[in-house]
Amino acid sequence: MSNSNVQNARQPYSGNETNLVISIDFGTTFSGTSWALLEPHNVPKIFDVSGFEGQEFEATSTKVPTVIFYDRHGNLKAVGNETLDDEMELQARSEKWIRVEWFKLLLRPRDKHHELANAPQPTLPANKTAVDVIGDYYGYMARLAQAHFREKVPDYDEIWPLVEKRIIYVLSHPNGWNTFQHAEMRKAAVKGGLIPDTNEGKSRIHFVSEGEASLHWCISDRQLVKTEIKEDTKFVVVDAGGGTIDVSSYEVASLRPLQFREASASSSHLAGSIFVTQAFKSFVKEKFGLGTYGEAENIRRIVKEFDQKNVMLVGGFVANPWLFTELQRRLRNLNIRFHRADSGTAKAAAHGAVSFYLDHLVSARVARYTYGISACVPFDPSNSKHLSRLIHAIPDPLTGVVFLAESFAQLLNKGTVVKETELTRVPLRRHAIVRRSQEVELELRCYQGDKPDIEFLDEDDNDTFSGLCSLKATIPESCLVQQDVEGGIPLSFLPSHYYACKFDVVVTFGETELKGYLEWTDDKVGLV
C-alpha cells in the first residue's frame, strides 16, 4: 500500500513451537495449495505450490485440475495433473475408467440459491460418496504441498518430523457454505489422511470463505487498489471461479493496524465458468448434431479446447476479456473503477487462505441469515400471533406458566454486524421433578426467508428453515435448585417442590466458523 498511514506488515510468529500451515483451495474446475512455515520469532513467508509434473510448459501455474479417474471398481487411478497425461487418457478410455469432475457441487447448500436445474450433474463411482471423492482429492493436494515443502526447505528432514503431526490446514469454500459443509469437509480431511479422526485432529482444520481469502490475497499480494485508502473506504471483492461467483463487500475499519469489516452480507451464486461451458455444449450439439461428432467424448474434447483458451488467457473466470469488458460497459455510468488482478495463473484463494490464518484482517462480519433455536415461549395474551395459536398452548403444572411450542427463539437477525469476539446468548430454563443431572440437546436453526420478525416455525415455508447443528451438554445435579410448586394445575400426584436449572445458549457468529456451547453458573462445556 502506498498510504503511509496504513500499517500492514506481517508480524513474527508468536507460537512457541515450529509448525506448518497448509491451505487447500478446492475449486470446481481447478484447485490450488499454499503453505507457510511457522518458526518462533520469524516472519512467515507464504509459498504458492507450482511447477507440478505435467506442467512443463506452464511451470509457474499454481492451478491443478479438479479431476479424478477411478476404475470401474472405484479404485483411484489418477488425480489432478496426472489426468492430463496422454497415455493416462488412452488407458482411461480403453479400460473405461470413470472421469469424476465438478464434484464440489455435490456439497452445495440445498436452497433456492444453489439449485442445479440446468447445471452439470457430477457422476460418482457406485461405491463412492462425495466425502470419499473429496477426501481422495484433499489427500492428493496435501501430498503436492509436502513435495513442494521438501523442495523449498533445506532442513526438511529435520523439520518435517516435528510438524507432521500438528499441521494446520485452512480449507476455503464458497461464501454460501455453512456448518453442514464444514462437517463434510472435516470428514473428507479425515478420509484423505490430513488429520486423525480425533477432537485434536479436527481442531487443526480451519475454514475461510473464498471471498475473504481473496481479500487477504489482495492485501498480501498488493493487488488491492494501488491508490490511497482511508478509513471507511468501501470496495467489493468478486471471486468468479469455475462453479460459483462469490461477491463480498468490505470497508476499512482501521489503518493502524489495517483491519476490515464486512459492509454487507456476502453472497454466492452458481454462475461460474462451467455454466458457460454447458451452454457451449448445448450449442455444439444443436449446431453439429451427435451424428457429426459421435459420442460425448468428442463433445468433451471440443469443450476442453474452449476451456483451455479461457484458462490460458485469464487464470480465472473474472479475468475473461469479454466478462471484464461487459462489466466495464454496463457499470461505466456508475463511476465504478475495476482493478483486475495481475497474476493470471494464481489461485488467489489458496494464498489468501494462509494469509487469513497469519494476518486475520477481518474483525467483523455480517450475518447472512437469521439464527435461532426451537423453544417453548410463555404465552402472551397481548400478542396476536400468540392468540392465534392458543389451541396449541401447553400449561406447565409445576410453574403455572402457559407455553407455546414450535417457537423460533432468535439469537441473531439477518444483516447484523457481529464482531469476532462478540458472544450472542439466550437464557433458558429446565425443570425436573427429581434432582439429577440433565441431558440437554438443542438444535440451532437458520432461517433463510425474508420475514423480519419471525417467531414461529410455521410462519413461513418449511424449506426456509434448516438445521445447522446440535448443542449438547450434561448439566450437573449440583446446578439444580429446589423450587416450590407455584399453583399450577392441581394434580394430586404432583410433589410440593421441583428442581430448576438455568443456563445460557452461547454462540459466536462473528468468526468464519460458527461455534456454540451451553453455559451455566459453575461450568462451561464447548459443543458442536
Side-chain angles (χ1 to χ4, degrees):
M1 294 290 174
S2 58
N3 193 339
S4 59
N5 293 321
V6 176
Q7 179 187 356
N8 186 38
R10 177 166 296 140
Q11 300 301 304
Y13 176 58
S14 60
N16 296 320
E17 297 179 316
T18 299
N19 206 352
L20 177 66
V21 56
I22 295 175
S23 70
I24 299 177
D25 174 32
F26 164 49
T28 305
T29 53
F30 289 92
S31 299
T33 178
S34 301
W35 59 269
L37 181 62
L38 309 179
E39 298 178 294
H41 313 300
N42 289 346
V43 177
K45 178 183 178 182
I46 300 175
F47 289 85
D48 300 327
V49 178
S50 62
F52 314 109
E53 184 177 352
Q55 285 184 321
E56 288 81 2
F57 301 105
E58 202 177 2
T60 61
S61 177
T62 60
K63 294 182 176 183
V64 184
T66 310
V67 178
I68 301 180
F69 279 139
Y70 293 96
D71 66 18
R72 288 174 291 177
H73 305 291
N75 298 311
L76 182 66
K77 305 303 292 184
V79 193
N81 278 319
E82 298 167 357
T83 66
L84 301 176
D85 181 76
D86 290 339
E87 292 185 6
M88 189 72 71
E89 287 203 8
L90 286 172
Q91 186 178 359
R93 195 175 305 114
S94 65
E95 298 182 13
K96 293 182 169 53
W97 290 353
I98 301 170
R99 178 187 175 91
V100 181
E101 59 186 339
W102 302 336
F103 48 92
K104 178 179 177 179
L105 297 176
L106 296 173
L107 283 192
R108 73 191 187 282
R110 296 302 199 262
D111 58 42
K112 62 184 180 181
H113 303 293
H114 295 85
E115 294 176 350
L116 276 177
N118 298 310
Q121 303 295 327
T123 301
L124 302 182
N127 61 344
K128 291 285 186 178
T129 66
V131 168
D132 293 331
V133 174
I134 295 169
D136 286 341
Y137 198 81
Y138 276 163
Y140 168 74
M141 295 300 290
R143 292 190 294 274
L144 290 182
Q146 180 185 353
H148 195 261
F149 181 77
R150 180 189 296 113
E151 176 188 330
K152 296 295 182 182
V153 177
D155 300 328
Y156 170 85
D157 291 335
E158 290 76 30
I159 293 177
W160 183 255
L162 297 176
V163 303
E164 182 180 9
K165 302 299 184 183
R166 56 175 183 248
I167 298 172
I168 299 295
Y169 291 95
V170 184
L171 308 179
S172 63
H173 59 76
N175 288 350
W177 288 19
N178 216 313
T179 53
F180 170 78
Q181 288 76 26
H182 290 168
E184 297 295 278
M185 292 165 75
R186 272 201 176 92
K187 292 176 187 176
V190 172
K191 290 267 188 181
L194 277 64
I195 57 170
D197 191 10
T198 62
N199 288 335
E200 183 279 330
K202 293 173 183 177
S203 71
R204 293 194 277 117
I205 298 292
H206 297 250
F207 300 102
V208 62
S209 69
E210 290 166 5
E212 190 163 323
S214 296
L215 164 71
H216 280 79
W217 180 71
C218 289
I219 301 298
S220 175
D221 206 51
R222 301 183 182 274
Q223 294 290 344
L224 195 61
V225 184
K226 300 294 193 295
T227 57
E228 300 284 318
I229 65 171
K230 57 185 179 181
E231 286 194 24
D232 300 324
T233 298
K234 295 182 180 180
F235 57 94
V236 173
V237 175
V238 178
D239 181 4
T244 60
I245 293 181
D246 295 304
V247 181
S248 310
S249 59
Y250 296 95
E251 58 185 342
V252 178
S254 69
L255 298 176
R256 302 182 66 83
L258 184 60
Q259 287 281 295
F260 299 87
R261 56 177 172 260
E262 280 191 329
S264 61
S266 61
S267 62
S268 181
H269 310 275
L270 283 174
S273 62
I274 62 171
F275 297 96
V276 177
T277 297
Q278 284 299 100
F280 184 70
K281 281 185 177 180
S282 299
F283 166 77
V284 169
K285 288 181 180 180
E286 181 180 346
K287 181 74 173 177
F288 300 106
L290 288 178
T292 303
Y293 279 84
E295 300 176 346
E297 174 64 19
N298 291 325
I299 293 178
R300 190 187 68 78
R301 284 185 172 276
I302 297 171
V303 172
K304 183 179 178 181
E305 292 299 316
F306 180 76
D307 284 344
Q308 282 182 339
K309 290 177 183 178
N310 281 330
V311 172
M312 290 174 63
L313 287 172
V314 302
F317 191 34
V318 74
N320 180 287
W322 174 86
L323 178 63
F324 187 68
T325 301
E326 270 302 288
L327 286 171
Q328 286 184 313
R329 183 182 69 81
R330 296 190 183 203
L331 298 177
R332 185 180 297 119
N333 294 333
L334 298 180
N335 294 321
I336 294 176
R337 295 183 298 175
F338 283 88
H339 300 269
R340 187 163 45 174
D342 297 332
S343 185
T345 55
K347 280 296 284 182
H351 185 109
V354 177
S355 174
F356 156 80
Y357 182 81
L358 299 176
D359 306 322
H360 226 64
L361 297 176
V362 178
S363 58
R365 298 174 179 87
V366 178
R368 299 183 70 245
Y369 305 116
T370 295
Y371 300 90
I373 58 172
S374 303
C376 293
V377 295
F379 174 73
D380 179 3
S382 66
N383 187 317
S384 59
K385 291 183 182 179
H386 286 213
L387 287 173
S388 67
R389 290 169 173 77
L390 183 58
I391 192 173
H392 302 297
I394 304 170
D396 184 342
L398 297 176
T399 64
V401 177
V402 177
F403 288 96
L404 290 174
E406 295 298 302
S407 170
F408 182 62
Q410 291 189 17
L411 286 161
L412 187 72
N413 279 321
K414 176 181 178 180
T416 303
V417 179
V418 189
K419 295 180 179 179
E420 275 201 322
T421 55
E422 188 174 340
L423 298 178
T424 302
R425 64 179 66 233
V426 60
L428 294 177
R429 182 182 173 107
R430 173 67 65 90
H431 301 151
I433 294 177
V434 179
R435 190 181 190 191
R436 62 188 177 195
S437 60
Q438 297 293 301
E439 301 292 331
V440 178
E441 180 173 358
L442 300 168
E443 184 181 29
L444 185 62
R445 295 197 176 197
C446 163
Y447 172 62
Q448 300 178 27
D450 298 319
K451 294 189 176 182
D453 298 310
I454 194 158
E455 292 185 54
F456 294 92
L457 299 176
D458 61 359
E459 282 188 66
D460 209 340
D461 297 334
N462 289 334
D463 60 1
T464 58
F465 287 94
S466 60
L468 293 177
C469 63
S470 294
L471 303 179
K472 303 177 184 178
T474 301
I475 300 180
E477 177 183 320
S478 59
C479 291
L480 275 69
V481 179
Q482 181 174 313
Q483 305 281 331
D484 292 331
V485 172
E486 301 169 4
I489 300 175
L491 298 175
S492 58
F493 61 81
L494 285 178
S496 60
H497 61 266
Y498 66 97
Y499 299 91
C501 59
K502 297 179 180 180
F503 60 93
D504 287 348
V505 178
V506 185
V507 183
T508 59
F509 291 102
E511 300 183 42
T512 55
E513 182 178 11
L514 185 149
K515 299 176 183 177
Y517 56 85
L518 303 186
E519 184 178 79
W520 50 90
T521 54
D522 65 351
D523 201 0
K524 181 170 79 173
V525 178
L527 306 161
V528 174

